[in-house]
Amino acid sequence: MTAPRRPIAELPLRVRYHECDGQGIVFNAHYLAYVDMCSFEAEKALFGSHDEFLAHGTDVVVAEANLKFRAPARYDDELVVSQYPNHLGTTSLIFDFEIRRGETLVAAATVRYVFIDPASLRPTPPPDAVRKVYAALLGD
């Protein structure tokens, strides 16, 4: 039996009225914003802050995002966004995200980030110190 995955970060949030569409449910684009907010919480947990991550001489950009909607979220729902490591490549990093309302899975996301050189904005392998942090999450 496989042990349950442990999240890198969890972000509790409450759905705000303006995030809902005319049908009274969270507008789809807001789920990516929730994922992005959680990714910064993970960065803080791993490196101390976004600035401390950038001090390593690297940054990341989103190259691909996939969302699967499972149940609607509505105004004033209390959600938790959880981030899990998935894959570390040569210049990319993949995370899985779950957005839950209690035990109900509301949405699942997979996001591929690419490490870039902040000056040229070109893909580049991450510095060894950064690679080690992410590799440790995956047991590599």
Side-chain angles (χ1 to χ4, degrees):
M1 183 170 175
T2 305
R5 296 192 302 174
R6 289 187 23 219
I8 302 165
E10 292 185 311
L11 174 72
L13 59 88
R14 185 180 300 271
V15 174
R16 297 170 294 183
Y17 182 79
H18 73 273
E19 295 168 340
C20 298
D21 61 18
Q23 297 164 328
I25 60 175
V26 173
F27 179 68
N28 60 68
H30 289 293
Y31 292 99
L32 281 176
Y34 299 161
V35 162
D36 192 55
M37 292 162 52
C38 187
S39 70
F40 277 100
E41 292 302 312
E43 200 173 71
K44 284 183 355 188
L46 296 173
F47 297 97
S49 71
H50 181 62
D51 287 338
E52 290 180 54
F53 172 73
L54 294 176
H56 288 279
T58 193
D59 201 354
V60 292
V61 295
V62 174
E64 181 179 357
N66 180 283
L67 281 166
K68 293 179 182 176
F69 302 100
R70 302 294 188 197
R74 293 183 166 79
Y75 169 65
D76 215 30
D77 279 354
E78 293 181 16
L79 305 177
V80 175
V81 185
S82 302
Q83 180 175 352
Y84 302 90
N86 178 315
H87 175 78
L88 175 62
T90 305
T91 60
S92 66
L93 182 61
I94 300 173
F95 290 109
D96 296 326
F97 296 84
E98 292 179 350
I99 302 172
R100 293 186 175 275
R101 179 184 54 249
E103 295 298 315
T104 301
L105 180 62
V106 171
T110 301
V111 179
R112 183 171 57 93
Y113 297 88
V114 172
F115 291 99
I116 60 163
D117 174 281
S120 68
L121 303 180
R122 302 290 306 154
T124 188
D128 288 341
V130 171
R131 176 171 285 286
K132 286 178 185 176
V133 169
Y134 289 119
L137 296 173
L138 293 159
D140 293 349

